Structure formats: C-alpha cells, structure tokens
Amino acid sequence: GYSVTNSLFGMGNPLLDISAVVDKDFLDKYTLKPNDQILAEDKHKALFEEIVKKFNVEYHAGGATQNSIKIAQWMIQKPHNVGTFFGCIGKDKFGEILKQKAVEAHIDAHYYEQEEEPTGSCAACITGDNRSLVANLAAANCYKKDKHLDLEENWKLVEKAKVYYIAGFFLTVSLESILKVAKHASENNKLFCLNLSAPFICQFFKDNLMQVMPYVDVLFGNETEAATFAEEQDFETEDIKEIAKKAQALPKVNTKRQRIVVLTQGKDETTMAHEGKVETFPVLKIDPKDMVDTNGAGDAFVGGFLSELVQEKPLDQCVRAAHYAANVIIRRAGCTFPEKPDFN
C-alpha cells in the first residue's frame, strides 16, 4: 500500500497508563464497575497512590486516540510519521516519557506543553478479562485551539492529512478544536472519524457529540456505548444492526460520502452499516488463556482499520486489519505490540 507522511491525523488526550491487576475489594472501595471508562473525581484521588503501593503496576504510554494512531503507524511500518498526533501534556517526567514513546512509535507528535497542570494519567484496573479505566486528565484537559491548533505550522499538518480520527473522549476537552478539524475534513471531502468512546460521553456529553455528528464519515463504538447512544437518541431499539443503521442515517453535511458505522462486540461479530446495508464480520478466535489484557483492544481495532483506510483499501480489508490488530494487542500487557505486524 501507499502512504505519505502526516496523512493520518489524530487529536486527543495523551495519558500515561498505570495498569495493574487488582482485586474486587479495590474496585468496590472506589465504586468502580469491572468494565467501564470514567473520569476521575475527588473520591478517586487516593486510588492513584494506592494502586502503585498495593499492586504490581506497569507504565505504558496511553490515551485512546494516541494509541490508535500508533497502532495504525505500526501496521503501515514505512514511511515513518504517517501518523500525526496533537494533545496537551505537562513539563514533567510523565510528559518526557510520552514524548519518548511517540518517537519510538515513529509518529509525529506535537504536544502543547504547559506548566499549570501535570501530564495526565489513566489507572487501568484489571480483573480477569475486564478493565476499569479511571482517567485523571490533568494537562490533557488544557488543550487550547488558539494556543496550538490555530498556529500556522500546526494547522499545516492538519491540512496535509486525508484521514482524521478523534476519540469521543476529547469532546470533554475542546469541542471547538474538534469542530475546526471536522469542518476542514467535510469542506475538503476528506474522511473524519469519531469514536463514541464511553457510555458517559453518549450520555452526559451528547450535545457536544451531536454537534460533531453531522461531520462524521466513520463512527466507531462498542456494544455498551452503542446501547447508551441508542437510548439517549430515542432509537427505540436494542438491536445492534438497527442501531448501526439508525446512526448511519443521522444527518450529514458532506453528502458526497455516506457515513460508515462500525460497532464491535468484544468476542462477538463486528457490525458495519454503510450505503443502506448492514454487514457482519466474525472476529479472530482466541483462546481465553492467551488473553493477557483487553485494555487497548478497542484502540487497536480502530488503529488497524485506519491503517487500511488511509491507504484507500476496501472496507472489508479495513475490518480484517482491525480484527488482526485487536487480536495482537489483547495477547500483551497495555497497548503494546511486537516489532512487526504479520498481516497481509
């Protein structure tokens, strides 16, 4: 396939993942569901210290969008810097780690660095094949359109891209930044992709979500997010195929492209709605004992999909690559990957 530098653009929350296998008592103490993504509140402050003290923690560069851009780059391999990433970090050790890890992943990361807030982190509390994510955005929440995105040298990188991906998580940070990128994509007939990311986004940030939806060419989500989205949008159905169809038919600004909706269901089949039809794709089988960590599986799915999308491959090839990448990532701790992919 053919790729050019900076052709895939991502913007989101760069976080350092602090992951550990914990116990049910720990989840209960902080009233966490086994499988969820939430933003840290005051009651979770102590969680970050306790997880490091009590359990065997691993640190990995994270943040949903950044993970996906890295996976796409890994799938593509050469040239380097096909993926661009924007986000906000602090001037500290965690920030330096994120910068170093971006270089190692061969993505072109341009961070807005500020000193008010420390670099964000995300506690990944793993029990069995579940993972409960608690994100302390900190610096990630300080991204500013006028301080970074609007700068000429940065906006030039946005203009170079032909595929854009932003996780729904960023809707809590900078709606105006998302809209600027989304409108650019729409006006230039490029592909803008968004992820529902978490039930709380569909529920409590639905106004922001629906302001962006008319610009969305490819919408990603999992079964839990899809169910919450359907409920909040009064779709009056719990059937995943129907939800995909209804999301596909929501109003769209750029009528030259029909929206594509891709919904995953863990080990169950993936559903894709486009051009008035719904297709399903079985995922790659995996022995439960080979599953190390499902954290990052969704990000890897998107990364695999984007790697083919940016090379203008057919959609079924995009889904195949998505399933391959997710299958690789769940065999490893964190959103990490072997040196080279084995996909063709």
Side-chain angles (χ1 to χ4, degrees), residues 270-312:
T270 294
T271 305
M272 178 165 69
H274 65 113
E275 287 172 0
K277 60 179 191 281
V278 182
E279 294 180 75
T280 58
F281 302 84
V283 305
L284 295 168
K285 294 252 187 299
I286 183 165
D287 189 319
K289 68 173 188 291
D290 292 331
M291 286 171 57
V292 173
D293 177 1
T294 55
N295 187 24
D299 300 339
F301 177 94
V302 172
F305 194 100
L306 295 171
S307 73
E308 305 303 297
L309 194 65
V310 81
Q311 298 177 76
E312 296 171 14

Side-chain angles (χ1 to χ4, degrees), residues 236-250:
E236 295 183 346
T237 180
E238 289 174 15
D239 180 275
I240 195 116
K241 291 180 183 163
E242 285 303 308
I243 294 170
K245 246 197 264 192
K246 290 194 172 194
Q248 198 269 330
L250 289 166

Side-chain angles (χ1 to χ4, degrees), residues 3 35 38 67 74 90 118 125 148 155 171 183 189 210 271 293:
S3 298
N35 213 21
I38 62 166
N67 283 343
W74 170 72
C125 311
H148 194 263
W155 188 250
L171 288 162
K183 284 174 182 172
N189 197 30
M210 295 322 282
T271 305
D293 177 1

Side-chain angles (χ1 to χ4, degrees), residues 91-111:
K91 295 188 175 178
D92 50 25
K93 192 179 117 217
F94 281 6
E96 288 304 316
I97 294 172
L98 290 184
K99 285 200 281 196
Q100 181 56 36
K101 293 292 181 190
V103 171
E104 288 169 14
H106 308 301
I107 63 166
D108 193 13
H110 292 257
Y111 297 113

